[in-house]
């Protein structure tokens, strides 16, 4: 087995990530050596609660001790006049067991502090959140208590996270080879095809 990637194809999934506009945008240069150890991504459907689980299998590496990183989505069916749509109501990540000094989701930052009595300023170093693909495994947490109102911002973050999960499920996993060779079309879901009439006059000039 190759040291990273999948057997016989080192760096397979890293190349898939690079050829996906969505995943490439989530990935940072310091993520790439870690993703190079990604061997496979498998989907597992669950019935109770309804949803699916994404399993990211990694070969042995010097970044973390996990062999599998898991992301789970719980959805509910929402009836509409024409069909049943799915709606995310919870997602569950996993704890990444980073080896010492290898956690790319945090960085050392500086913060100014003012002394309460004499007003003196000092600068201290502290760990702050860092941009990384691996933040994907630390999703927004929805309160378990139904009496607690979920803020709109949390709904938006949850929906955005679900879009990425669906992207893995419906595009990346079934079409990984096409992404690997750079032949998978990237579709913009914000636009839909509309009918057009080739004979339609789009000229701005007025008729006499």
């Amino acid at each position: 087995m190759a040291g990273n990637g999948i057997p016989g194809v080192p760096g397979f999934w890293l190349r898939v990530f690079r050829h996906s506009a969505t995943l490439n945008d989530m990935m940072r240069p310091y993520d790439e050596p870690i993703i190079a150890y990604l061997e496979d991504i498998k989907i597992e459907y669950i019935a109770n609660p309804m949803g699916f689980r994404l399993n990211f299998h990694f070969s042995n590496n010097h970044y973390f001790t996990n062999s599998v990183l898991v992301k789970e989505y719980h959805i509910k069916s929402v009836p509409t006049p024409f069909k049943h749509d799915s709606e995310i109501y919870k997602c569950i990540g996993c704890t990444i067991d980073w080896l010492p000094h290898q956690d790319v989701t945090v960085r050392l930052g500086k913060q100014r502090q003012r002394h309460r009595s004499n007003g003196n300023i000092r600068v201290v170093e502290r760990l702050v959140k860092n941009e990384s693909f691996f933040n994907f495994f630390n999703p927004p947490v929805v309160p378990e208590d139904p009496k607690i109102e979920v803020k709109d911002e949390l709904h938006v973050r949850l929906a955005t996270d679900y879009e990425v999960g669906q992207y893995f499920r419906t595009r990346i996993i079934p079409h990984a080879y096409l992404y690997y060779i750079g032949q998978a079309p990237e579709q913009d879901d914000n636009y839909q095809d509309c009918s057009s009439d080739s004979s339609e006059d789009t000229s701005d000039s007025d008729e006499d």
Side-chain angles (χ1 to χ4, degrees):
M1 179 180 292
N4 51 28
I6 63 174
V9 189
F12 176 91
W13 287 101
L14 175 58
R15 187 165 177 175
V16 169
F17 273 55
R18 286 173 174 169
H19 286 167
S20 160
T22 298
L23 300 184
N24 192 56
D25 187 57
M26 295 174 63
M27 185 173 58
R28 296 295 178 267
Y30 40 80
D31 291 327
E32 294 193 8
I34 309 175
I35 294 174
Y37 286 93
L38 180 59
E39 291 187 321
D40 202 1
I41 308 175
K42 296 181 179 180
I43 185 169
E44 180 182 355
Y45 290 97
I46 51 181
N48 188 21
M50 183 172 67
F52 62 93
R53 187 179 294 121
L54 299 173
N55 300 301
F56 294 73
H57 294 259
F58 285 83
S59 59
N60 291 336
N61 60 82
H62 59 274
Y63 295 98
F64 48 71
T65 59
N66 312 67
S67 60
V68 183
L69 299 182
V70 181
K71 185 67 173 287
E72 187 170 307
Y73 292 92
H74 297 174
I75 60 179
K76 59 184 176 181
S77 182
V78 181
T80 68
F82 303 103
K83 61 180 180 178
H84 281 69
D85 289 332
S86 61
E87 180 180 291
I88 179 70
Y89 71 88
K90 186 177 182 180
C91 58
I92 303 173
C94 69
T95 299
I96 301 178
D97 298 320
W98 296 99
L99 292 170
H101 312 297
Q102 299 298 331
D103 188 350
V104 294
T105 65
V106 294
R107 61 180 174 83
L108 198 61
K110 295 182 178 181
Q111 183 179 28
R112 291 164 57 89
Q113 295 181 338
R114 184 185 300 275
H115 196 279
R116 292 182 178 179
S117 59
N118 58 31
N120 289 339
I121 300 294
R122 70 175 183 178
V123 178
V124 297
E125 293 184 334
R126 58 180 298 184
L127 291 177
V128 297
K129 189 173 182 179
N130 194 33
E131 291 186 353
S132 168
F133 166 76
F134 290 91
N135 289 323
F136 177 67
F137 299 97
N138 183 26
V141 178
V142 177
E144 295 288 347
D145 189 346
K147 296 180 181 179
I148 300 178
E149 182 180 357
V150 179
K151 297 182 180 180
D152 290 342
E153 179 185 356
L154 183 57
H155 279 298
V156 172
R157 290 177 58 201
L158 195 62
T160 301
D161 190 286
Y162 182 47
E163 288 180 1
V164 178
Q166 286 281 62
Y167 182 71
F168 271 111
R169 184 180 72 86
T170 62
R171 297 190 189 177
I172 295 298
I173 295 175
H175 306 297
Y177 177 71
L178 291 179
Y179 279 96
Y180 176 77
I181 63 176
Q183 296 297 321
E186 286 287 284
Q187 178 180 336
D188 190 339
D189 290 333
N190 293 319
Y191 292 88
Q192 295 180 342
D193 292 336
C194 56
S195 59
S196 61
D197 187 348
S198 60
S199 63
E200 182 178 345
D201 184 6
T202 57
S203 173
D204 292 334
S205 61
D206 295 330
E207 293 181 0
D208 292 336

